[in-house]
C-alpha cells in the first residue's frame, strides 16, 4: 500500500524503495504517530468529516494498534515506506474503507513534525529527570567533602587553593545552564504543527487550538510553510545535548586525571571501572572515558543535521528525513551518559589529604601573600614582586610554605607583618575570598545551600 501512486504508471524500483524507506528507524515514532492520529480523528469529527461513530471506530482501532505495536510481530514482513504508511495500512486492515478518511486535509510533512515533537517532548523530560538527579548527586559529593582544600588549576598548573565544594559547584552551574537549555528547547518543541497541510495550510477549518489542547501543546505554530521547512526545534535540543556532553567530557577528563596514580586524589567505585585482560593490577576509568568519547558522537549527530539543513530551499525536502537517526542517537546517548555520570558521582571517594598537600606544598598561597601585602598598604605590583621573590628564594633553597616562620618572613621583606605567616596555610587565605561567587568557606556554604534549594525548584518543575 502507498499513500500516493495514482499519477504513476509503474511502481518504484526495488532499489529506490530500499534506499528511501525509513521504517527501520522511524518505527520508533509508532506510538506518537498513533496518538497524533487519534487526536486528528477527533479534529476531523469537529469539522464534520467523521461522524461520532466513525470517530469512535477509528480511535478504538488505533488503541488496538497501539497495544499491538509493542510486539515485534507488528513489523514482521512490513515493507511500508515509513511509519505513517504502516499505521494507515494497519488501520485499513482493521476498519476497511473508513480508514480512507483519516488523512483528510493532512500531510505527512506536518505529521512527521508532529510525531517528532511528541517523541522529543518525552525524551527531553526524561533527560531533565536524569539531569536533576545528577545535579543532586553532585551536591551530595560537594557536601560530603565540603571543606576539603584542593589546588585550583589554570593551564593545568596549580594556581590558587579552592574548596572542593566550590569546584563541584562550578560544574553544578554548568549543568544547571544545560538543564535550562533543555527546558528552553522543550518550549520550542511543544508547539502544535497540525493544520499546516503539506505547506500551504490545511483546506479544512480545524480548530487548531483545540487540537493543541488535546495533545498537550502549549501553543500552535504561526506559519504553515515554516512548519514544513523547519527543524530548528530538533537542532535546539541537539545543541543543548552537545553542550551538556561538552561539560560532561570536561568533568570526565578531570576525574580521569584526579583518579590517576599521578594525582591520587580520588578513588572511583569498583562498579564503574573495569580491569585489564592482561595487566592484573589495572583499574581503568572506562565509564568516564566512554562518556568523554560519546561527546564526539553527539556532536557528530548535531553537526550531521546542521549541515543537512544548510541551503535547503523552502519548504519540505526529503533530505529532512535524515533528521531522525542523529536525533534518536543523540537523545539515547545523552540519557545514557547522564545516568552513568550519576553512578560515578555517587561512588567517588576523595582522599582529602592528597589535594590538600598538593595545595600546600606548591606555593598556591602566593596570591594570598601578595594580596595581604596590598591590603596593608604595599602597592600591588610591588607586593606581587615581593611574593614572587619569596617563591623563587623558597624554590632555590628547598623551602616549603610551612617552613617559614613569622620572623624569617619579616626578615625577608619588612613589608610582611608577622601575622601574615598564617597565610602559608591554604585554608587561611581562602577566607578573604568573601566576594559573591568566591571560594571563602562561608560564601561556599551559602552557595551550597542555595544550590540545594535550586535543585528542589528544578525538581518541582519536572
Ligand atoms: N519519512 C518522511 C520524513 O521523515 C516523512 C515525510 C514524507 N513526506 C514526503 N513528502 N515524502 O521526512
Amino acid at each position: 500500500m502507498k499513500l500516493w501512486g495514482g499519477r504513476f504508471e509503474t511502481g518504484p524500483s526495488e532499489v529506490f524503495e530500499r534506499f528511501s524507506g525509513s521504517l527501520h528507524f522511524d518505527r520508533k515514532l509508532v506510538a506518537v504517530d498513533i496518538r497524533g492520529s487519534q487526536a486528528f480523528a477527533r479534529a476531523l469529527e469537529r469539522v464534520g468529516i467523521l461522524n461520532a461513530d466513525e470517530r469512535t471506530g477509528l480511535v478504538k482501532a488505533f488503541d488496538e494498534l497501539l497495544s499491538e505495536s509493542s510486539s515485534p510481530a507488528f513489523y514482521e514482513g512490513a515493507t511500508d515506506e515509513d511509519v505513517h504508511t504502516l499505521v494507515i495500512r494497519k488501520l485499513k486492515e482493521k476498519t476497511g474503507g473508513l480508514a480512507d478518511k483519516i488523512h483528510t486535509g493532512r500531510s505527512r510533512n506536518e505529521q512527521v513534525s508532529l510525531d517528532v515533537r511528541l517523541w522529543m517532548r518525552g525524551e527531553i523530560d526524561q533527560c531533565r529527570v536524569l539531569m536533576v538527579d545528577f545535579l543532586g548527586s553532585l551536591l551530595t559529593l560537594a557536601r560530603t567533602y565540603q571543606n576539603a582544600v584542593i589546588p585550583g588549576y589554570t593551564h593545568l598548573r596549580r594556581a590558587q587553593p579552592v574548596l572542593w565544594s566550590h569546584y563541584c559547584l562550578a560544574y553544578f552551574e554548568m549543568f544547571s545552564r544545560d538543564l535550562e537549555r533543555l527546558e528552553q528547547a522543550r518550549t520550542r518543541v511543544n508547539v502544535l504543527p497540525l493544520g499546516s497541510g503539506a505547506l500551504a495550510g490545511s483546506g479544512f477549518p480545524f480548530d487548531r487550538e483545540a487540537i493543541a489542547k488535546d495533545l498537550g501543546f502549549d501553543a500552535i505554530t504561526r506559519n504553515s510553510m515554516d512548519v514544513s521547512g523547519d527543524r530548528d526545534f530538533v537542532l535546539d535540543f541537539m545543541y543543548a545535548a552537545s553542550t551538556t556532553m561538552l561539560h560532561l567530557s570536561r568533568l570526565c577528563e578531570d576525574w580521569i586525571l584526579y583518579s590517576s596514580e599521578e594525582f591520587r586524589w580520588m578513588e572511583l567505585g569498583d562498579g564503574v571501572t573495569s580491569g585489564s585482560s592482561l595487566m592484573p593490577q589495572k583499574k581503568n576509568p572506562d565509564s568516564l572515558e566512554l562518556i568523554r568519547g560519546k561527546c564526539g558522537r553527539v556532536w557528530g549527530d548535531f553537526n550531521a543535521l546542521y549541515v543537512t539543513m544548510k541551503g535547503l530551499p523552502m519548504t519540505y525536502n526529503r533530505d529532512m528525513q535524515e533528521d531522525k537517526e542523529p536525533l534518536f542517537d543523540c537523545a539515547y546517548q545523552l540519557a545514557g551518559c547522564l545516568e552513568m555520570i550519576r553512578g560515578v558521582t555517587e561512588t567517588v571517594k576523595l582522599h582529602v589529604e592528597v589535594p590538600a598537600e598538593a595545595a600546600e606544598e606548591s606555593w598556591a598561597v602566593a596570591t594570598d601573600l601578595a594580596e595581604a601585602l596590598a591590603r596593608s598598604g604595599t602597592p600591588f605590583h610591588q607586593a606581587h614582586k615581593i611574593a614572587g621573590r619569596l617563591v623563587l628564594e623558597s624554590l632555590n633553597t628547598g623551602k616549603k610554605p610551612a617552613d617559614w616562620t613569622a620572623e624569617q618572613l619579616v626578615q625577608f621583606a619588612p613589608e610582611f607583618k608577622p601575622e601574615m605567616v598564617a597565610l602559608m596555610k591554604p585554608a587561611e587565605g581562602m577566607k578573604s575570598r568573601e566576594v559573591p561567587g568566591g571560594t571563602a568557606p562561608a560564601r561556599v556554604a551559602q552557595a551550597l545551600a542555595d544550590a540545594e534549594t535550586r535543585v528542589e525548584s528544578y525538581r518541582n518543575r519536572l
Side-chain angles (χ1 to χ4, degrees):
M1 190 203 85
K2 298 244 164 311
L3 297 177
W4 41 273
R7 64 101 48 232
F8 290 83
E9 284 178 357
T10 67
S13 77
E14 185 272 326
V15 173
F16 174 64
E17 281 208 306
R18 195 157 31 82
F19 179 73
S20 61
S22 55
L23 184 60
H24 59 288
F25 57 83
D26 66 15
R27 54 189 268 185
K28 228 186 192 61
L29 300 173
V30 71
V32 287
D33 191 77
I34 291 171
R35 289 215 184 84
S37 287
Q38 287 181 314
F40 192 61
R42 290 187 280 270
L44 286 173
E45 181 189 359
R46 289 193 292 268
V47 292
I49 296 290
L50 296 176
N51 64 36
D53 283 349
E54 289 172 325
R55 186 260 304 150
T56 310
L58 287 177
V59 169
K60 197 173 140 284
F62 277 129
D63 276 336
E64 290 166 21
L65 291 179
L66 193 57
S67 67
E68 289 164 24
S69 69
S70 51
S71 145
F74 191 71
Y75 304 94
E76 232 159 68
T79 55
D80 307 273
E81 179 181 326
D82 54 25
V83 67
H84 324 294
T85 312
L86 168 86
V87 169
I88 289 183
R89 173 173 63 80
K90 295 268 185 185
L91 185 74
K92 234 177 200 161
E93 285 166 15
K94 277 191 190 297
T95 65
L98 181 55
D100 285 340
K101 288 190 175 180
I102 190 62
H103 212 55
T104 312
R106 182 176 71 166
S107 157
R108 277 182 298 164
N109 295 352
E110 55 181 335
Q111 195 179 353
V112 76
S113 171
L114 173 73
D115 291 5
V116 173
R117 286 169 190 269
L118 286 172
W119 184 85
M120 286 181 72
R121 202 166 70 182
E123 293 298 305
I124 292 175
D125 287 345
Q126 193 209 341
C127 287
R128 286 169 62 214
V129 170
L130 292 166
M131 181 67 102
V132 173
D133 287 345
F134 165 50
L135 285 171
S137 69
L138 208 46
L139 292 186
T140 305
L141 185 61
R143 269 258 178 255
T144 308
Y145 306 102
Q146 187 176 335
N147 290 312
V149 174
I150 63 168
Y153 294 83
T154 60
H155 312 267
L156 200 55
R157 301 291 184 274
R158 293 171 191 171
Q160 288 184 277
V162 292
L163 288 184
W164 166 259
S165 43
H166 194 55
Y167 162 84
C168 290
L169 284 169
Y171 276 109
F172 178 87
E173 293 303 328
M174 292 154 112
F175 292 114
S176 295
R177 290 194 297 274
D178 292 332
L179 177 64
E180 279 171 26
R181 273 183 276 271
L182 283 175
E183 291 172 347
Q184 288 157 358
R186 190 191 194 281
T187 305
R188 294 203 192 87
V189 163
N190 204 31
V191 182
L192 175 87
L194 272 192
S196 301
L199 76 160
S202 181
F204 297 79
F206 292 118
D207 178 349
R208 298 187 60 211
E209 297 286 355
I211 307 175
K213 207 163 161 225
D214 189 347
L215 287 169
F217 286 104
D218 294 325
I220 63 172
T221 55
R222 292 196 177 95
N223 183 292
S224 60
M225 293 181 81
D226 177 39
V227 165
S228 286
D230 166 44
R231 288 297 178 271
D232 299 8
F233 66 93
V234 180
L235 291 170
D236 280 342
F237 165 68
M238 292 175 98
Y239 169 67
S242 296
T243 307
T244 307
M245 291 303 299
L246 164 74
H247 292 151
L248 282 173
S249 81
R250 295 184 68 178
L251 177 68
C252 290
E253 172 66 10
D254 275 2
W255 290 4
I256 289 166
L257 282 174
Y258 297 170
S259 63
S260 69
E261 286 95 341
E262 275 66 24
F263 271 78
R264 289 182 298 106
W265 287 20
M266 52 160 60
E267 183 74 23
L268 300 173
D270 279 5
V272 299
T273 46
S274 52
S276 155
S277 60
L278 190 144
M279 300 166 281
Q281 86 287 6
K282 291 294 288 287
K283 180 175 175 183
N284 295 325
D286 296 32
S287 50
L288 296 171
E289 292 168 308
L290 278 167
I291 297 172
R292 191 178 56 184
K294 284 170 191 291
C295 174
R297 179 167 169 172
V298 168
W299 288 7
D301 291 333
F302 174 55
N303 201 44
L305 181 59
Y306 218 55
V307 177
T308 296
M309 295 306 292
K310 177 190 174 296
L312 290 188
M314 280 288 248
T315 56
Y316 177 82
N317 300 270
R318 191 68 178 268
D319 315 41
M320 291 160 71
Q321 177 171 294
E322 293 295 314
D323 61 351
K324 280 168 225 52
E325 284 168 294
L327 168 64
F328 294 161
D329 185 63
C330 173
Y332 181 75
Q333 299 304 335
L334 177 65
C337 289
L338 287 171
E339 190 186 8
M340 187 71 259
I341 195 66
R342 179 185 168 202
V344 176
T345 307
E346 285 176 349
T347 52
V348 119
K349 289 204 164 41
L350 190 70
H351 302 306
V352 288
E353 65 293 345
V354 184
E357 208 179 298
E360 206 153 339
E361 68 184 20
S362 57
W363 286 102
V365 295
T367 309
D368 296 337
L369 289 166
E371 289 184 354
L373 288 173
R375 241 175 260 123
S376 73
T378 310
F380 185 73
H381 279 162
Q382 285 174 38
H384 189 285
K385 204 176 198 167
I386 294 168
R389 279 200 295 110
L390 184 83
V391 172
L392 184 64
E393 163 90 2
S394 304
L395 293 177
N396 288 340
T397 56
K399 242 175 155 166
K400 296 197 173 131
D403 297 335
W404 284 88
T405 64
E407 256 170 23
Q408 290 169 333
L409 199 60
V410 177
Q411 215 168 37
F412 180 84
E415 289 86 346
F416 281 118
K417 304 274 173 291
E419 63 274 16
M420 288 180 190
V421 79
L423 295 173
M424 295 298 186
K425 286 248 159 268
E428 209 37 52
M430 210 185 268
K431 291 180 189 157
S432 66
R433 312 203 173 278
E434 270 286 2
V435 73
T439 193
R443 185 56 82 174
V444 174
Q446 186 57 54
L448 191 48
D450 289 349
E452 282 160 351
T453 310
R454 277 160 65 194
V455 168
E456 278 326 299
S457 74
Y458 297 154
R459 211 178 278 291
N460 292 337
R461 289 213 290 265
L462 292 175

